[in-house]
Amino acid sequence: MIRENNKNFITKEIEKLEAKLGELRKPLQMQVVVNHKVELTEEEIREAKTKAINDLIESEKARMLKKNIPKTAVTPKVMVEKTENNELSLF
Protein backbone atom coordinates (compact mmCIF):
# COMPACT_ATOMS: atom_id res chain seq x y z
CA MET A 1 0.00 0.00 0.00
CA ILE A 2 2.78 2.41 0.91
CA ARG A 3 4.68 1.56 -2.27
CA GLU A 4 1.58 2.19 -4.35
CA ASN A 5 1.07 5.58 -2.67
CA ASN A 6 4.71 6.45 -3.31
CA LYS A 7 4.36 5.32 -6.91
CA ASN A 8 1.25 7.49 -7.39
CA PHE A 9 2.96 10.44 -5.70
CA ILE A 10 6.05 10.10 -7.88
CA THR A 11 3.94 9.73 -11.02
CA LYS A 12 1.99 12.90 -10.20
CA GLU A 13 5.20 14.84 -9.46
CA ILE A 14 6.70 13.72 -12.77
CA GLU A 15 3.55 14.87 -14.60
CA LYS A 16 3.76 18.27 -12.86
CA LEU A 17 7.43 18.64 -13.83
CA GLU A 18 6.70 17.69 -17.45
CA ALA A 19 3.91 20.29 -17.57
CA LYS A 20 6.29 22.96 -16.26
CA LEU A 21 8.93 21.87 -18.75
CA GLY A 22 6.39 22.24 -21.56
CA GLU A 23 5.74 25.82 -20.47
CA LEU A 24 9.47 26.56 -20.36
CA ARG A 25 9.95 25.31 -23.90
CA LYS A 26 7.47 27.81 -25.35
CA PRO A 27 9.06 30.75 -27.22
CA LEU A 28 9.34 33.93 -25.20
CA GLN A 29 7.09 36.85 -26.07
CA MET A 30 8.97 40.01 -25.15
CA GLN A 31 10.21 43.36 -26.39
CA VAL A 32 13.45 45.12 -25.63
CA VAL A 33 13.56 48.88 -25.18
CA VAL A 34 16.88 50.67 -24.98
CA ASN A 35 16.75 54.04 -23.28
CA HIS A 36 20.05 55.35 -24.54
CA LYS A 37 20.61 58.42 -26.66
CA VAL A 38 23.88 58.85 -28.55
CA GLU A 39 25.03 62.42 -28.41
CA LEU A 40 27.45 63.62 -31.07
CA THR A 41 29.71 66.61 -30.94
CA GLU A 42 29.35 69.41 -33.49
CA GLU A 43 32.49 68.21 -35.25
CA GLU A 44 31.14 64.62 -35.52
CA ILE A 45 27.86 65.96 -36.93
CA ARG A 46 29.72 68.03 -39.55
CA GLU A 47 31.89 65.04 -40.50
CA ALA A 48 28.85 62.78 -40.81
CA LYS A 49 27.05 65.31 -43.04
CA THR A 50 30.14 65.79 -45.22
CA LYS A 51 30.61 62.04 -45.58
CA ALA A 52 26.93 61.56 -46.46
CA ILE A 53 27.10 64.29 -49.12
CA ASN A 54 30.30 62.86 -50.61
CA ASP A 55 28.83 59.34 -50.66
CA LEU A 56 25.73 60.66 -52.44
CA ILE A 57 27.83 62.53 -55.01
CA GLU A 58 29.95 59.45 -55.71
CA SER A 59 26.94 57.16 -56.07
CA GLU A 60 25.22 59.61 -58.44
CA LYS A 61 28.40 59.93 -60.54
CA ALA A 62 28.66 56.16 -60.76
CA ARG A 63 24.98 55.89 -61.72
CA MET A 64 25.32 58.55 -64.42
CA LEU A 65 28.48 56.98 -65.85
CA LYS A 66 26.84 53.57 -65.87
CA LYS A 67 23.85 55.00 -67.73
CA ASN A 68 26.04 56.59 -70.45
CA ILE A 69 28.13 53.49 -71.23
CA PRO A 70 26.76 51.67 -74.28
CA LYS A 71 25.89 48.03 -73.63
CA THR A 72 27.65 46.79 -76.78
CA ALA A 73 30.89 48.09 -78.13
CA VAL A 74 30.37 49.81 -81.46
CA THR A 75 33.20 49.48 -83.94
CA PRO A 76 33.46 52.24 -86.54
CA LYS A 77 32.97 51.16 -90.11
CA VAL A 78 35.52 52.43 -92.60
CA MET A 79 34.52 52.82 -96.20
CA VAL A 80 37.32 51.62 -98.45
CA GLU A 81 37.02 52.13 -102.18
CA LYS A 82 39.29 51.20 -105.01
CA THR A 83 40.19 53.90 -107.44
CA GLU A 84 40.79 53.48 -111.15
CA ASN A 85 44.46 52.68 -110.57
CA ASN A 86 43.54 49.92 -108.03
CA GLU A 87 44.69 52.10 -105.16
CA LEU A 88 42.80 52.04 -101.89
CA SER A 89 41.14 55.22 -100.82
CA LEU A 90 39.45 56.02 -97.56
CA PHE A 91 37.52 58.93 -99.11
Coordinates of all heavy atoms in Angstrom, one line a residue:
M1 N 0.8 -1.2 0.0 CA 0.0 0.0 0.0 C 0.9 1.3 0.0 O 0.6 2.2 -0.7 CB -0.9 -0.1 1.2 CG -1.9 1.0 1.3 SD -3.2 0.6 0.3 CE -4.4 1.8 0.7
I2 N 1.9 1.3 0.8 CA 2.8 2.4 0.9 C 3.5 2.6 -0.4 O 3.7 3.7 -0.9 CB 3.8 2.3 2.1 CG1 3.0 2.3 3.4 CG2 4.8 3.4 2.1 CD1 3.8 2.1 4.6
R3 N 4.0 1.5 -1.0 CA 4.7 1.6 -2.3 C 3.8 2.1 -3.4 O 4.2 2.9 -4.2 CB 5.2 0.2 -2.7 CG 6.4 -0.2 -1.9 CD 7.0 -1.4 -2.5 NE 8.2 -1.7 -1.7 CZ 9.1 -2.6 -2.1 NH1 8.9 -3.3 -3.1 NH2 10.2 -2.8 -1.4
E4 N 2.5 1.7 -3.3 CA 1.6 2.2 -4.3 C 1.3 3.7 -4.2 O 1.3 4.4 -5.2 CB 0.3 1.4 -4.2 CG -0.2 0.8 -5.5 CD -1.4 0.0 -5.4 OE1 -2.5 0.6 -5.5 OE2 -1.3 -1.2 -5.2
N5 N 1.2 4.1 -2.9 CA 1.1 5.6 -2.7 C 2.3 6.4 -3.1 O 2.2 7.4 -3.7 CB 0.8 5.8 -1.2 CG -0.6 5.4 -0.8 OD1 -1.5 5.3 -1.6 ND2 -0.8 5.2 0.5
N6 N 3.5 5.8 -2.9 CA 4.7 6.5 -3.3 C 4.8 6.5 -4.8 O 5.2 7.5 -5.4 CB 5.9 5.7 -2.8 CG 6.2 6.0 -1.3 OD1 5.7 7.0 -0.8 ND2 7.0 5.2 -0.6
K7 N 4.4 5.4 -5.4 CA 4.4 5.3 -6.9 C 3.4 6.4 -7.5 O 3.8 7.1 -8.5 CB 4.0 3.9 -7.3 CG 4.4 3.5 -8.7 CD 4.0 2.1 -8.9 CE 4.6 1.6 -10.2 NZ 4.3 0.2 -10.5
N8 N 2.2 6.5 -6.9 CA 1.3 7.5 -7.4 C 1.8 8.9 -7.2 O 1.6 9.8 -8.0 CB -0.1 7.3 -6.7 CG -0.8 6.1 -7.1 OD1 -0.6 5.6 -8.2 ND2 -1.8 5.6 -6.3
F9 N 2.4 9.1 -6.0 CA 3.0 10.4 -5.7 C 4.1 10.8 -6.7 O 4.1 11.9 -7.3 CB 3.5 10.4 -4.3 CG 4.2 11.7 -3.9 CD1 3.5 12.8 -3.6 CD2 5.6 11.8 -3.9 CE1 4.1 14.0 -3.3 CE2 6.3 12.9 -3.5 CZ 5.5 14.1 -3.2
I10 N 5.0 9.9 -6.9 CA 6.1 10.1 -7.9 C 5.5 10.3 -9.3 O 6.0 11.2 -10.0 CB 7.1 8.9 -7.8 CG1 7.8 8.9 -6.5 CG2 8.1 9.0 -9.0 CD1 8.7 7.7 -6.3
T11 N 4.5 9.6 -9.7 CA 3.9 9.7 -11.0 C 3.3 11.1 -11.2 O 3.5 11.8 -12.2 CB 2.9 8.6 -11.3 OG1 3.5 7.4 -11.1 CG2 2.3 8.7 -12.7
K12 N 2.6 11.6 -10.1 CA 2.0 12.9 -10.2 C 3.1 14.0 -10.2 O 2.9 15.0 -11.0 CB 1.1 13.1 -9.0 CG -0.2 12.3 -9.1 CD -1.1 12.5 -7.9 CE -2.3 11.7 -7.9 NZ -3.2 11.8 -6.8
E13 N 4.1 13.8 -9.5 CA 5.2 14.8 -9.5 C 5.9 14.9 -10.8 O 6.2 16.0 -11.3 CB 6.2 14.5 -8.4 CG 5.7 14.8 -7.0 CD 5.3 16.2 -6.7 OE1 6.1 17.1 -7.1 OE2 4.2 16.4 -6.2
I14 N 6.1 13.8 -11.4 CA 6.7 13.7 -12.8 C 5.8 14.4 -13.8 O 6.3 15.2 -14.6 CB 7.0 12.3 -13.2 CG1 8.2 11.7 -12.4 CG2 7.3 12.2 -14.7 CD1 8.5 10.2 -12.6
E15 N 4.5 14.2 -13.7 CA 3.6 14.9 -14.6 C 3.6 16.4 -14.4 O 3.5 17.1 -15.4 CB 2.1 14.3 -14.4 CG 2.0 12.9 -14.9 CD 0.6 12.3 -14.5 OE1 -0.2 13.0 -13.8 OE2 0.3 11.2 -14.9
K16 N 3.7 16.8 -13.1 CA 3.8 18.3 -12.9 C 5.0 18.9 -13.5 O 5.0 19.9 -14.1 CB 3.8 18.5 -11.4 CG 2.4 18.3 -10.7 CD 2.6 18.6 -9.2 CE 1.3 18.3 -8.4 NZ 1.6 18.5 -7.0
L17 N 6.2 18.2 -13.3 CA 7.4 18.6 -13.8 C 7.4 18.7 -15.4 O 7.9 19.6 -16.0 CB 8.6 17.8 -13.4 CG 9.0 17.9 -11.9 CD1 10.0 16.9 -11.5 CD2 9.5 19.3 -11.6
E18 N 6.8 17.7 -16.0 CA 6.7 17.7 -17.5 C 5.8 18.8 -17.9 O 6.1 19.5 -19.0 CB 6.2 16.3 -17.9 CG 7.2 15.2 -17.9 CD 6.6 13.9 -18.3 OE1 5.4 13.7 -18.4 OE2 7.4 13.0 -18.5
A19 N 4.8 19.2 -17.2 CA 3.9 20.3 -17.6 C 4.7 21.6 -17.5 O 4.6 22.5 -18.4 CB 2.7 20.3 -16.7
K20 N 5.5 21.8 -16.4 CA 6.3 23.0 -16.3 C 7.3 23.0 -17.4 O 7.6 24.1 -17.9 CB 7.0 23.0 -14.9 CG 6.0 23.3 -13.8 CD 6.7 23.4 -12.4 CE 5.8 23.7 -11.3 NZ 6.4 23.7 -10.0
L21 N 7.9 21.9 -17.7 CA 8.9 21.9 -18.8 C 8.3 22.3 -20.1 O 8.9 23.0 -20.9 CB 9.5 20.5 -18.9 CG 11.0 20.3 -18.5 CD1 11.3 18.8 -18.4 CD2 11.9 21.0 -19.5
G22 N 7.1 21.9 -20.3 CA 6.4 22.2 -21.6 C 6.2 23.7 -21.6 O 6.3 24.3 -22.7
E23 N 5.9 24.4 -20.5 CA 5.7 25.8 -20.5 C 7.1 26.5 -20.7 O 7.1 27.6 -21.4 CB 5.2 26.3 -19.1 CG 3.7 25.9 -18.9 CD 3.2 26.2 -17.5 OE1 3.8 27.0 -16.9 OE2 2.2 25.7 -17.2
L24 N 8.1 26.0 -20.2 CA 9.5 26.6 -20.4 C 10.0 26.5 -21.8 O 10.7 27.3 -22.2 CB 10.5 25.9 -19.4 CG 10.3 26.2 -17.9 CD1 11.3 25.3 -17.1 CD2 10.5 27.6 -17.6
R25 N 9.5 25.5 -22.5 CA 10.0 25.3 -23.9 C 9.2 26.2 -24.9 O 9.6 26.3 -26.0 CB 9.8 23.9 -24.3 CG 10.7 22.9 -23.6 CD 10.6 21.5 -24.1 NE 11.6 20.7 -23.5 CZ 11.4 19.4 -23.1 NH1 10.2 18.8 -23.4 NH2 12.3 18.7 -22.6
K26 N 8.2 26.9 -24.5 CA 7.5 27.8 -25.3 C 8.4 29.0 -25.7 O 9.1 29.4 -24.8 CB 6.2 28.3 -24.7 CG 5.1 27.3 -24.5 CD 3.9 27.8 -23.9 CE 2.9 26.8 -23.6 NZ 1.7 27.3 -22.9
P27 N 8.3 29.6 -26.9 CA 9.1 30.8 -27.2 C 8.6 31.9 -26.4 O 7.5 32.1 -26.0 CB 8.8 31.0 -28.7 CG 7.6 30.2 -29.0 CD 7.4 29.1 -28.0
L28 N 9.6 32.8 -26.0 CA 9.3 33.9 -25.2 C 8.7 35.0 -26.0 O 9.1 35.3 -27.2 CB 10.6 34.5 -24.6 CG 11.4 33.5 -23.6 CD1 12.7 34.1 -23.2 CD2 10.5 33.2 -22.4
Q29 N 7.7 35.7 -25.4 CA 7.1 36.9 -26.1 C 7.5 38.1 -25.3 O 7.1 38.3 -24.2 CB 5.6 36.7 -26.0 CG 5.0 35.5 -26.7 CD 5.2 35.6 -28.2 OE1 5.2 36.6 -28.8 NE2 5.4 34.4 -28.8
M30 N 8.5 38.8 -25.9 CA 9.0 40.0 -25.2 C 9.5 41.1 -26.1 O 9.7 40.8 -27.3 CB 10.1 39.6 -24.2 CG 11.3 39.1 -24.8 SD 12.5 38.7 -23.6 CE 13.7 37.9 -24.6
Q31 N 9.7 42.3 -25.6 CA 10.2 43.4 -26.4 C 11.3 44.0 -25.6 O 11.3 44.0 -24.4 CB 9.2 44.4 -26.7 CG 8.0 43.9 -27.6 CD 7.0 45.0 -27.8 OE1 7.0 46.0 -27.1 NE2 6.1 44.8 -28.7
V32 N 12.3 44.5 -26.3 CA 13.4 45.1 -25.6 C 13.4 46.6 -26.0 O 13.3 47.0 -27.2 CB 14.8 44.5 -26.1 CG1 16.0 45.2 -25.5 CG2 14.8 43.0 -25.7
V33 N 13.5 47.4 -25.0 CA 13.6 48.9 -25.2 C 14.9 49.4 -24.6 O 15.2 49.1 -23.5 CB 12.4 49.6 -24.5 CG1 12.5 51.1 -24.6 CG2 11.1 49.0 -25.0
V34 N 15.6 50.1 -25.4 CA 16.9 50.7 -25.0 C 16.7 52.2 -24.8 O 16.4 52.9 -25.7 CB 18.0 50.4 -26.0 CG1 19.3 51.0 -25.6 CG2 18.1 48.9 -26.2
N35 N 16.9 52.6 -23.6 CA 16.8 54.0 -23.3 C 18.1 54.7 -23.3 O 18.7 55.0 -22.2 CB 16.0 54.2 -21.9 CG 14.6 53.8 -22.0 OD1 13.9 54.0 -23.0 ND2 14.1 53.3 -20.9
H36 N 18.7 54.8 -24.4 CA 20.0 55.4 -24.5 C 20.1 56.3 -25.8 O 19.7 55.9 -26.9 CB 21.1 54.2 -24.7 CG 22.5 54.7 -24.8 ND1 23.2 55.3 -23.8 CD2 23.3 54.7 -25.9 CE1 24.4 55.6 -24.2 NE2 24.5 55.3 -25.5
K37 N 20.5 57.5 -25.6 CA 20.6 58.4 -26.7 C 22.1 58.7 -26.9 O 22.8 59.1 -26.0 CB 19.9 59.7 -26.3 CG 19.9 60.7 -27.4 CD 19.1 62.0 -27.0 CE 19.2 63.0 -28.1 NZ 18.5 64.2 -27.7
V38 N 22.5 58.6 -28.2 CA 23.9 58.9 -28.5 C 24.0 60.3 -28.9 O 23.2 60.9 -29.7 CB 24.3 58.0 -29.8 CG1 25.7 58.4 -30.2 CG2 24.2 56.6 -29.5
E39 N 24.9 61.0 -28.2 CA 25.0 62.4 -28.4 C 26.3 62.6 -29.1 O 27.4 62.2 -28.7 CB 25.0 63.2 -27.1 CG 23.7 63.1 -26.4 CD 23.6 64.0 -25.2 OE1 24.4 64.9 -25.1 OE2 22.7 63.7 -24.4
L40 N 26.3 63.3 -30.3 CA 27.5 63.6 -31.1 C 27.9 65.1 -30.9 O 27.1 65.9 -30.6 CB 27.1 63.4 -32.6 CG 26.7 62.0 -33.0 CD1 26.3 62.0 -34.4 CD2 27.7 61.0 -32.7
T41 N 29.2 65.2 -31.0 CA 29.7 66.6 -30.9 C 29.4 67.3 -32.3 O 29.1 66.7 -33.3 CB 31.2 66.6 -30.7 OG1 31.9 66.0 -31.8 CG2 31.6 65.9 -29.4
E42 N 29.6 68.6 -32.3 CA 29.3 69.4 -33.5 C 30.3 68.9 -34.6 O 29.9 68.9 -35.8 CB 29.5 70.9 -33.2 CG 28.5 71.5 -32.3 CD 27.1 71.4 -33.0 OE1 27.0 71.7 -34.2 OE2 26.1 71.2 -32.2
E43 N 31.5 68.6 -34.3 CA 32.5 68.2 -35.2 C 32.1 66.9 -35.8 O 32.1 66.6 -37.1 CB 33.9 68.1 -34.6 CG 35.0 67.7 -35.6 CD 36.3 67.6 -34.9 OE1 36.5 68.1 -33.8 OE2 37.2 66.9 -35.5
E44 N 31.6 65.9 -35.0 CA 31.1 64.6 -35.5 C 29.9 64.8 -36.4 O 29.8 64.1 -37.4 CB 30.8 63.7 -34.3 CG 32.0 63.3 -33.6 CD 31.7 62.5 -32.3 OE1 30.6 62.8 -31.7 OE2 32.4 61.6 -31.9
I45 N 29.0 65.7 -36.1 CA 27.9 66.0 -36.9 C 28.3 66.5 -38.3 O 27.8 66.1 -39.3 CB 26.9 66.9 -36.2 CG1 26.3 66.3 -35.0 CG2 25.8 67.4 -37.2 CD1 25.5 67.2 -34.1
R46 N 29.2 67.5 -38.3 CA 29.7 68.0 -39.6 C 30.4 66.9 -40.4 O 30.2 66.9 -41.6 CB 30.7 69.2 -39.3 CG 30.1 70.5 -39.0 CD 31.2 71.6 -39.1 NE 32.3 71.3 -38.2 CZ 32.4 71.8 -37.0 NH1 31.5 72.5 -36.5 NH2 33.5 71.5 -36.3
E47 N 31.2 66.1 -39.8 CA 31.9 65.0 -40.5 C 30.9 64.1 -41.1 O 31.0 63.6 -42.2 CB 32.9 64.3 -39.6 CG 34.1 65.1 -39.2 CD 35.0 64.4 -38.2 OE1 34.7 63.2 -37.8 OE2 36.0 65.0 -37.8
A48 N 29.9 63.7 -40.3 CA 28.8 62.8 -40.8 C 28.1 63.4 -42.0 O 27.8 62.7 -43.0 CB 27.9 62.4 -39.7
K49 N 27.8 64.7 -41.9 CA 27.1 65.3 -43.0 C 27.9 65.4 -44.3 O 27.5 65.1 -45.4 CB 26.6 66.7 -42.7 CG 25.4 66.8 -41.7 CD 25.0 68.2 -41.4 CE 23.9 68.3 -40.5 NZ 23.5 69.7 -40.2
T50 N 29.2 65.7 -44.1 CA 30.1 65.8 -45.2 C 30.3 64.4 -45.9 O 30.3 64.3 -47.1 CB 31.5 66.3 -44.7 OG1 31.3 67.6 -44.1 CG2 32.5 66.5 -45.9
K51 N 30.4 63.4 -45.0 CA 30.6 62.0 -45.6 C 29.4 61.6 -46.3 O 29.4 61.0 -47.4 CB 30.9 61.1 -44.5 CG 31.2 59.6 -44.9 CD 31.4 58.7 -43.8 CE 31.7 57.3 -44.2 NZ 30.8 56.7 -45.2
A52 N 28.2 61.9 -45.8 CA 26.9 61.6 -46.5 C 26.8 62.3 -47.8 O 26.4 61.6 -48.8 CB 25.7 61.9 -45.6
I53 N 27.2 63.5 -47.9 CA 27.1 64.3 -49.1 C 28.1 63.7 -50.1 O 27.7 63.5 -51.3 CB 27.4 65.8 -48.9 CG1 26.2 66.4 -48.1 CG2 27.6 66.5 -50.2 CD1 26.4 67.8 -47.6
N54 N 29.3 63.4 -49.7 CA 30.3 62.9 -50.6 C 29.9 61.5 -51.1 O 30.1 61.2 -52.3 CB 31.7 62.8 -49.9 CG 32.3 64.2 -49.7 OD1 31.9 65.1 -50.4 ND2 33.2 64.3 -48.8
D55 N 29.3 60.7 -50.2 CA 28.8 59.3 -50.7 C 27.7 59.5 -51.7 O 27.7 58.7 -52.7 CB 28.3 58.5 -49.5 CG 29.4 58.1 -48.5 OD1 30.6 58.2 -48.9 OD2 29.1 57.6 -47.4
L56 N 26.8 60.4 -51.5 CA 25.7 60.7 -52.4 C 26.3 61.1 -53.8 O 25.8 60.6 -54.8 CB 24.7 61.7 -51.9 CG 23.6 62.0 -52.8 CD1 22.7 60.8 -53.0 CD2 22.8 63.2 -52.2
I57 N 27.2 62.0 -53.8 CA 27.8 62.5 -55.0 C 28.5 61.4 -55.8 O 28.3 61.2 -57.0 CB 28.8 63.7 -54.7 CG1 28.1 64.9 -54.2 CG2 29.7 64.0 -55.9 CD1 29.0 66.0 -53.7
E58 N 29.3 60.6 -55.1 CA 30.0 59.5 -55.7 C 29.0 58.4 -56.3 O 29.2 57.9 -57.4 CB 30.9 58.8 -54.7 CG 32.1 59.6 -54.3 CD 32.9 60.0 -55.5 OE1 33.2 59.2 -56.4 OE2 33.4 61.2 -55.6
S59 N 27.9 58.1 -55.6 CA 26.9 57.2 -56.1 C 26.2 57.7 -57.3 O 25.9 57.0 -58.2 CB 26.0 56.7 -55.0 OG 25.1 57.8 -54.6
E60 N 25.9 59.0 -57.3 CA 25.2 59.6 -58.4 C 26.1 59.6 -59.7 O 25.7 59.4 -60.8 CB 24.7 61.0 -58.1 CG 23.5 61.0 -57.2 CD 22.3 60.3 -57.8 OE1 22.0 60.6 -59.0 OE2 21.7 59.5 -57.2
K61 N 27.4 60.0 -59.4 CA 28.4 59.9 -60.5 C 28.5 58.5 -61.1 O 28.4 58.4 -62.4 CB 29.8 60.3 -60.0 CG 30.0 61.8 -59.9 CD 31.5 62.1 -59.5 CE 31.7 63.5 -59.2 NZ 33.1 63.7 -58.7
A62 N 28.6 57.5 -60.3 CA 28.7 56.2 -60.8 C 27.4 55.8 -61.5 O 27.5 55.1 -62.6 CB 28.9 55.2 -59.6
R63 N 26.2 56.2 -61.0 CA 25.0 55.9 -61.7 C 24.9 56.6 -63.1 O 24.5 56.0 -64.1 CB 23.8 56.3 -60.9 CG 22.4 55.9 -61.4 CD 21.3 56.4 -60.5 NE 21.2 57.9 -60.4 CZ 20.6 58.7 -61.3 NH1 20.1 58.1 -62.4 NH2 20.6 60.0 -61.2
M64 N 25.4 57.8 -63.2 CA 25.3 58.6 -64.4 C 26.3 58.0 -65.4 O 26.0 57.8 -66.6 CB 25.6 60.0 -64.2 CG 24.5 60.7 -63.4 SD 24.9 62.4 -62.9 CE 25.0 63.2 -64.5
L65 N 27.5 57.6 -65.0 CA 28.5 57.0 -65.8 C 28.0 55.6 -66.3 O 28.2 55.3 -67.5 CB 29.8 56.8 -65.1 CG 30.6 58.1 -64.9 CD1 31.8 57.8 -64.1 CD2 31.0 58.7 -66.2
K66 N 27.4 54.9 -65.5 CA 26.8 53.6 -65.9 C 25.7 53.7 -66.9 O 25.6 52.9 -67.8 CB 26.3 52.8 -64.6 CG 25.9 51.4 -64.9 CD 25.4 50.8 -63.6 CE 25.0 49.3 -63.9 NZ 24.5 48.7 -62.7
K67 N 24.9 54.8 -66.8 CA 23.8 55.0 -67.7 C 24.4 55.4 -69.1 O 23.8 55.0 -70.1 CB 23.0 56.1 -67.2 CG 21.7 56.3 -68.0 CD 20.9 57.5 -67.5 CE 20.2 57.3 -66.2 NZ 19.3 58.4 -65.9
N68 N 25.5 56.1 -69.2 CA 26.0 56.6 -70.4 C 26.9 55.6 -71.2 O 27.2 55.8 -72.3 CB 26.9 57.9 -70.2 CG 25.9 59.0 -69.8 OD1 24.8 59.0 -70.1 ND2 26.5 60.0 -69.1
I69 N 27.3 54.5 -70.6 CA 28.1 53.5 -71.2 C 27.2 52.6 -72.1 O 26.3 52.1 -71.6 CB 28.9 52.6 -70.2 CG1 29.8 53.5 -69.4 CG2 29.6 51.5 -70.9 CD1 30.5 52.7 -68.3
P70 N 27.6 52.5 -73.4 CA 26.8 51.7 -74.3 C 26.9 50.2 -73.9 O 28.0 49.8 -73.4 CB 27.3 51.9 -75.7 CG 28.7 52.5 -75.5 CD 28.7 53.2 -74.1
K71 N 25.9 49.4 -74.0 CA 25.9 48.0 -73.6 C 26.7 47.2 -74.6 O 27.3 46.2 -74.1 CB 24.5 47.5 -73.5 CG 23.7 48.2 -72.4 CD 22.4 47.6 -72.2 CE 21.7 48.4 -71.1 NZ 20.7 47.8 -70.5
T72 N 26.8 47.5 -75.8 CA 27.6 46.8 -76.8 C 28.7 47.7 -77.4 O 28.4 48.9 -77.6 CB 26.8 46.2 -77.9 OG1 26.1 47.2 -78.6 CG2 25.8 45.1 -77.4
A73 N 29.8 47.2 -77.6 CA 30.9 48.1 -78.1 C 30.6 48.3 -79.6 O 30.4 47.3 -80.3 CB 32.2 47.5 -77.9
V74 N 30.6 49.5 -80.1 CA 30.4 49.8 -81.5 C 31.7 50.1 -82.2 O 32.5 50.9 -81.7 CB 29.5 51.1 -81.6 CG1 29.2 51.4 -83.1 CG2 28.2 50.9 -80.9
T75 N 32.0 49.3 -83.2 CA 33.2 49.5 -83.9 C 32.9 50.4 -85.1 O 31.9 50.1 -85.8 CB 33.8 48.1 -84.4 OG1 32.8 47.5 -85.2 CG2 34.2 47.3 -83.3
P76 N 33.7 51.4 -85.4 CA 33.5 52.2 -86.5 C 33.7 51.5 -87.9 O 34.6 50.7 -88.0 CB 34.5 53.4 -86.4 CG 35.5 52.8 -85.5 CD 34.9 51.8 -84.7
K77 N 32.8 51.8 -88.8 CA 33.0 51.2 -90.1 C 33.7 52.1 -91.0 O 33.4 53.3 -91.1 CB 31.6 50.9 -90.7 CG 30.8 49.8 -89.9 CD 29.5 49.5 -90.6 CE 28.8 48.4 -89.8 NZ 27.5 48.1 -90.3
V78 N 34.7 51.6 -91.7 CA 35.5 52.4 -92.6 C 35.2 52.1 -94.0 O 35.1 50.9 -94.4 CB 37.0 52.2 -92.3 CG1 37.9 53.0 -93.3 CG2 37.4 52.5 -90.9
M79 N 34.9 53.0 -94.8 CA 34.5 52.8 -96.2 C 35.8 52.8 -97.0 O 36.5 53.8 -97.0 CB 33.6 53.9 -96.7 CG 32.2 54.0 -96.0 SD 31.3 52.5 -96.2 CE 30.9 52.7 -97.9
V80 N 36.1 51.7 -97.6 CA 37.3 51.6 -98.4 C 36.9 51.4 -99.9 O 36.1 50.5 -100.2 CB 38.2 50.4 -98.0 CG1 39.4 50.3 -98.9 CG2 38.6 50.6 -96.5
E81 N 37.4 52.3 -100.8 CA 37.0 52.1 -102.2 C 38.3 52.0 -103.0 O 39.4 52.5 -102.6 CB 36.3 53.4 -102.6 CG 34.9 53.6 -102.0 CD 34.3 54.9 -102.4 OE1 34.8 55.6 -103.3 OE2 33.2 55.1 -102.0
K82 N 38.2 51.3 -104.1 CA 39.3 51.2 -105.0 C 39.1 52.3 -106.1 O 38.1 52.5 -106.6 CB 39.3 49.8 -105.6 CG 39.8 48.7 -104.7 CD 40.0 47.4 -105.4 CE 40.5 46.4 -104.5 NZ 40.8 45.2 -105.2
T83 N 40.2 52.9 -106.4 CA 40.2 53.9 -107.4 C 40.5 53.2 -108.8 O 40.7 52.0 -108.8 CB 41.2 55.0 -107.2 OG1 42.5 54.4 -107.1 CG2 41.0 55.7 -105.9
E84 N 40.5 54.0 -109.8 CA 40.8 53.5 -111.2 C 42.1 52.8 -111.3 O 42.3 51.9 -112.0 CB 40.7 54.6 -112.2 CG 39.3 55.2 -112.3 CD 39.3 56.4 -113.3 OE1 40.3 56.7 -113.9 OE2 38.2 57.0 -113.4
N85 N 43.1 53.2 -110.5 CA 44.5 52.7 -110.6 C 44.6 51.5 -109.6 O 45.7 51.1 -109.3 CB 45.5 53.7 -110.2 CG 45.4 54.9 -111.2 OD1 44.8 54.8 -112.3 ND2 46.0 56.0 -110.8
N86 N 43.5 51.0 -109.0 CA 43.5 49.9 -108.0 C 44.3 50.3 -106.7 O 44.9 49.5 -106.1 CB 44.2 48.6 -108.6 CG 43.2 47.9 -109.5 OD1 42.0 48.0 -109.4 ND2 43.8 47.1 -110.4
E87 N 44.1 51.6 -106.4 CA 44.7 52.1 -105.2 C 43.5 52.2 -104.2 O 42.4 52.5 -104.5 CB 45.3 53.5 -105.4 CG 46.5 53.5 -106.2 CD 47.0 54.9 -106.5 OE1 46.3 55.8 -106.1 OE2 48.1 55.0 -107.1
L88 N 43.8 51.9 -102.9 CA 42.8 52.0 -101.9 C 42.6 53.5 -101.4 O 43.6 54.2 -101.3 CB 43.2 51.2 -100.7 CG 43.2 49.7 -101.0 CD1 43.7 48.9 -99.7 CD2 41.9 49.1 -101.4
S89 N 41.4 53.9 -101.3 CA 41.1 55.2 -100.8 C 40.1 55.2 -99.7 O 39.1 54.5 -99.7 CB 40.6 56.0 -102.0 OG 40.1 57.3 -101.5
L90 N 40.4 55.9 -98.7 CA 39.5 56.0 -97.6 C 38.4 57.1 -97.8 O 37.5 57.3 -97.0 CB 40.2 56.3 -96.3 CG 41.2 55.2 -95.8 CD1 42.0 55.7 -94.6 CD2 40.5 53.9 -95.6
F91 N 38.5 57.9 -98.9 CA 37.5 58.9 -99.1 C 36.7 58.7 -100.3 O 36.8 58.1 -101.2 CB 38.3 60.3 -99.3 CG 39.1 60.6 -98.1 CD1 40.5 60.5 -98.1 CD2 38.5 61.1 -96.9 CE1 41.2 60.8 -97.0 CE2 39.3 61.4 -95.8 CZ 40.6 61.3 -95.9

